[in-house]
Amino acid sequence: MTTPAAELVGVSQRFGSFTAVDSIDLRIPRGRLTTLLGPSGCGKTTTLRMLAGYASPTSGRILIDGQDATRTPPEKRDLGMVFQSYALFPHLTVADNVAYGLTMRKVPAPERRRRAGEALELVGLGHLGDRRPKQLSGGQQQRVALARAIAIRPRLLLLDEPLSNLDARLRVQMRAEIRRIQSETGLTVVLVTHDQDEALEMSDEMVLMRAGKVVQTGAPRDVFPAPADRFVAEFLGYENFLTLADGREAAVRPEHLRIVPADAPLDGAADGGVVLDAVVVDVAYRGVDLLVTLDATDPAGAPVRLVADHRADHRSDHSDAATGPAPSAGDRVRLLAPRARLALLTAEPATEGLS
Amino acid sequence: MTGQTLNQGAGRSLRLRHPVAGTLAVAGYVIMIVPILFVVATAFTAGSTLRFPPEGLSLKWFGEAVAYSPFTEAVVSSLELAVLATALALVLGVPVTLAIHRGRIPGKGLLEGLFLSPLVVPELVVGLALYQQLMIGLHLDNFTTLLLGHTALLLPYAVRVTGASLALADPALEEAARGLGASPLRAFVTVTLPMLRPGLISAGLLGFVTSFNNVPLSLLLQTRDFRTLPVTMLDYVQQSYDPMVAAASTLVLAATVVVAVVAERTVGFAKIFGGINR
Ligand SMILES: Nc1ncnc2c1ncn2[C@@H]1O[C@H](COP(=O)(O)OP(=O)(O)OP(=O)(O)O)[C@@H](O)[C@H]1O
Ligand SMILES: [Mg+2]
């Protein structure tokens, strides 16, 4: 087994009596893209800043390439960081911004220019080297910040919500761009985000955090269908929570609940799935689908409110008996959740009951 | 029809929006500028008394002023004092600004208040305190005492104005520099200092002008062997009443205008004075 690119061992960060990061253990696999994902204030930035050396942990150790770096100042860590505000030097040209880290490393001028140029090419901005940061769009500034961090060939590339200042289209474009750069350079990347779609799309490894703790880690394909607990499930967009007949709690995504006529055959129950009788409470039109709110009784006998996505393209398809016509408020319907779509959750802390 | 009414309404409201403030502003300018115009006009007189309207037109009082050694010596003294006090205030003020804006020290508010206090404590009181403590108590010479006094006077400007430009700079810039391999000192020199440049220029200009024009502090701390220009001119008008002092004032005014124009061209007044009223 290779040493991880970086490792946090029992790392905590306290601000006064408040614990922002609570004794976390984390291994950042080499040559992969790891995302730190979690709601606002859960300690993602704090964790990244400790990794970069801008804050030193109150307790615990940080290893980079297997070496203890807990007290190493940022300039000696050889890491590339992209700040949320980009932090481009306004008094330097784009090319000089990108070359800054090389200048600090006393790389001779010709090589410096060449490498800065290469980094700018990599992000597709080779032609804008003479501009000032202010003369660039937000997306271009973001790329310059990326190029500047990459130019020093860092041991680790750290990105703090690099896409949050971009508009929706550019954001989606840049996700692919960062992935491309990561695979072309083979860099180890740690990316902070609170956007689960971003994390799912970009990560090799996801680290879900809550209140300063790591709650689940794993590849998106492993984490998404099997959230470790209700918090992770909610964060990943599971909106329906039911107690099964055997007392276990399960989560179902709105798009996996099927609304069928009340008299449809009960074949869904055969494979261990859930079949519920429900009453439509509300129907909201959302273009591609209808968001249907329903009241039902779960297999354990408790009343639950559920939401289901009902695809709009099924509305005109009256011949599809399994889907049926568009539901409207007051309709009695039947809900199907196949066994494979039920995410079973481990027990939750007592503080959070069923809503 | 409706559009027309709207336009008329907009025009009227523009004219009437701040009638009182507008009048006051004009009155203020008149009160400030008219006396200056009188002084400038009398400087060109051919007569021998400080009187308006001037009698005839001549440059002779300018010649007299330039040749009058107490004035020329005082100009040199004032320049020396203003340059040194400004430099000292910046050298002391910039680290304080950094500590206030970037440092992780407790009691930042107290520190800031301390360094801004000379703005509110009357200069005569400061002058008297310096006179008693430094000149009498510590036997410091006159120039050193004046230099310390003026430096204290300029510190608030240095702290405030450079602080304003530091407040505009993203603290992540210095972190970015560190992350890219710059030591704290390199990061300061290559990133923070360039960010501070407009603030340093503004604070320097303001400090220089403030020191050069200062009367109360200099008046209290003057002695026979070291006098600043404003104090010398004050002495002069108490003894004689000829237009030479008007000519000297006009020369100072001209020099100040040149400095102001240069300042406006290089930094802009909005930045210079924006820094004080942050
Ligand atoms: N310097 C500080 N002093 C006191 N508390 C702090 C400090 N920095 C962060 N915190 C607190 O620590 C917690 C974690 O902050 P952090 O910035 O790491 O959150 P985050 O996960 O990055 O959130 P976001 O998604 O909003 O950026 C927050 O509750 C924050 O208020
Ligand atoms: Mg953050």
Side-chain angles (χ1 to χ4, degrees):
Chain A
M1 237 198 110
T2 56
T3 39
E7 199 171 353
L8 305 188
V9 185
V11 166
S12 297
Q13 177 72 266
R14 275 181 285 279
F15 298 110
S17 62
F18 177 75
T19 306
V21 172
D22 193 358
S23 186
I24 64 172
D25 295 301
L26 204 59
R27 298 169 132 247
I28 309 295
R30 189 178 304 279
R32 301 315 228 27
L33 195 152
T34 303
T35 54
L36 302 184
L37 174 66
S40 185
C42 72
K44 307 179 295 287
T45 297
T46 308
T47 304
L48 203 68
R49 289 177 60 81
M50 287 191 288
L51 204 48
Y54 297 123
S56 51
T58 322
S59 59
R61 295 200 313 144
I62 294 172
L63 307 179
I64 297 174
D65 282 340
Q67 306 280 312
D68 192 306
T70 315
R71 303 282 155 201
T72 311
E75 64 267 26
K76 302 240 168 70
R77 290 196 186 196
D78 263 332
L79 309 180
M81 172 109 174
V82 175
F83 292 81
Q84 191 172 349
S85 60
Y86 311 145
L88 297 177
F89 306 130
H91 60 294
L92 299 180
T93 62
V94 165
D96 287 342
N97 262 280
V98 177
Y100 185 91
L102 303 172
T103 312
M104 292 303 128
R105 282 168 177 69
K106 305 199 167 58
V107 174
E111 191 192 341
R112 194 162 74 212
R113 265 195 299 279
R114 184 179 56 76
R115 279 173 62 182
E118 279 171 12
L120 275 175
E121 287 300 335
L122 193 64
V123 298
L125 292 181
H127 55 298
L128 294 182
D130 294 329
R131 295 237 192 128
R132 299 268 163 171
K134 248 190 250 157
Q135 300 166 317
L136 301 180
S137 73
Q140 290 169 333
Q141 290 182 27
Q142 202 267 350
R143 285 160 198 250
V144 175
L146 198 56
R148 184 177 67 176
I150 291 170
I152 60 170
R153 298 187 187 142
R155 297 197 283 180
L156 223 64
L157 179 63
L158 310 175
L159 308 159
D160 191 359
E161 309 217 12
L163 309 181
S164 60
N165 288 343
L166 306 180
D167 67 44
R169 264 187 61 189
L170 203 53
R171 190 150 56 215
V172 172
Q173 214 177 316
M174 281 309 289
R175 286 180 193 169
E177 186 90 4
I178 290 175
R179 280 259 46 162
R180 175 184 65 80
I181 289 168
Q182 193 273 329
S183 61
E184 274 179 28
T185 56
L187 277 168
T188 306
V189 179
V190 181
L191 184 145
V192 161
T193 178
H194 59 245
D195 180 337
Q196 76 271 17
D197 293 333
E198 200 168 292
L200 288 166
E201 184 180 330
M202 297 178 72
S203 316
D204 293 310
E205 181 89 355
M206 282 167 79
V207 176
L208 276 126
M209 293 181 65
R210 172 174 59 161
K213 289 201 167 74
V214 171
V215 283
Q216 192 172 4
T217 59
R221 281 170 203 278
D222 299 329
V223 173
F224 187 73
D229 61 18
R230 180 165 178 157
F231 162 79
V232 177
E234 277 177 354
F235 199 74
L236 294 177
Y238 288 79
E239 289 182 53
N240 301 307
F241 297 89
L242 324 154
T243 309
L244 301 180
D246 59 10
R248 286 180 306 171
E249 200 189 2
V252 194
R253 304 182 64 80
E255 61 268 32
H256 293 149
L257 275 182
R258 255 169 73 204
I259 299 172
V260 295
D263 52 3
L266 290 171
D267 54 356
D271 66 351
V274 172
V275 179
L276 303 172
D277 289 320
V279 177
V280 175
V281 177
D282 182 50
V283 179
Y285 178 70
R286 296 200 302 188
V288 292
D289 61 13
L290 298 171
L291 187 68
V292 184
T293 310
L294 310 109
D295 274 338
T297 303
D298 72 12
V304 280
R305 174 154 292 189
L306 303 168
V307 288
D309 282 353
H310 193 72
R311 301 293 294 192
D313 53 5
H314 291 165
R315 283 171 59 193
S316 56
D317 191 2
H318 288 270
S319 64
D320 185 355
T323 314
S328 57
D331 286 359
R332 299 196 153 273
V333 295
R334 186 157 280 175
L335 277 174
L336 306 180
R339 173 70 189 84
R341 298 303 195 185
L342 292 177
L344 296 172
L345 306 176
T346 53
E348 257 292 281
T351 46
E352 279 166 279
L354 283 180
S355 52
Chain B
M1 230 345 235
T2 323
Q4 227 174 17
T5 345
L6 272 177
N7 274 341
Q8 279 172 359
R12 221 176 43 208
S13 80
L14 255 182
R15 257 177 281 128
L16 294 179
R17 195 168 297 154
H18 301 294
V20 179
T23 313
L24 280 178
V26 170
Y29 282 124
V30 168
I31 291 169
M32 281 196 307
I33 288 170
V34 167
I36 296 176
L37 294 179
F38 275 86
V39 171
V40 172
T42 33
F44 288 93
T45 187
S48 58
T49 51
L50 202 54
R51 182 190 295 162
F52 193 84
E55 305 152 358
L57 190 70
S58 131
L59 290 177
K60 76 171 181 182
W61 293 110
F62 285 95
E64 299 258 337
V66 172
Y68 184 63
S69 71
F71 278 3
T72 49
E73 278 164 24
V75 168
V76 174
S77 302
S78 274
L79 285 176
E80 255 174 40
L81 181 64
V83 168
L84 281 176
T86 304
L88 208 54
L90 287 179
V91 167
L92 294 174
V94 168
V96 172
T97 310
L98 288 173
I100 290 172
H101 286 268
R102 295 286 194 268
R104 266 177 258 161
I105 45 164
K108 281 186 193 178
L110 199 70
L111 189 68
E112 195 167 12
L114 185 71
F115 276 89
L116 297 182
S117 62
L119 271 183
V120 277
V121 177
E123 284 172 44
L124 279 172
V125 177
V126 176
L128 199 61
L130 288 170
Y131 182 72
Q132 282 183 342
Q133 297 306 316
L134 298 181
M135 273 170 86
I136 313 268
L138 291 175
H139 302 292
L140 288 186
D141 71 15
N142 173 239
F143 180 75
T144 313
T145 311
L146 258 179
L147 182 59
L148 291 178
H150 276 219
T151 304
L153 187 72
L154 305 187
L155 261 179
Y157 294 100
V159 171
R160 257 288 156 93
V161 178
T162 53
S165 49
L166 203 57
L168 292 177
D170 183 356
L173 288 177
E174 286 137 50
E175 292 187 338
R178 295 285 303 279
L180 290 165
S183 65
L185 185 66
R186 287 291 297 277
F188 176 77
V189 173
T190 56
V191 174
T192 317
L193 215 51
M195 298 293 101
L196 277 177
R197 213 179 68 103
L200 287 174
I201 295 175
S202 315
L205 282 170
L206 260 179
F208 180 84
V209 171
T210 307
S211 165
F212 194 85
N213 286 328
N214 181 270
V215 173
L217 212 53
S218 307
L219 195 62
L220 259 170
L221 299 175
Q222 69 168 335
T223 54
R224 230 166 251 302
D225 41 290
F226 190 90
R227 286 176 178 223
T228 65
L229 185 64
V231 172
T232 312
M233 284 167 63
L234 200 64
D235 283 349
Y236 188 86
V237 286
Q238 280 165 353
Q239 290 153 18
S240 69
Y241 204 57
D242 67 37
M244 188 171 83
V245 82
S249 301
T250 305
L251 289 174
V252 171
L253 182 68
T256 309
V257 168
V258 170
V259 170
V261 168
V262 171
E264 167 60 22
R265 284 285 155 81
T266 50
V267 204
F269 279 126
K271 269 193 183 157
I272 300 179
F273 294 105
I276 308 172
N277 303 321
R278 179 170 59 93

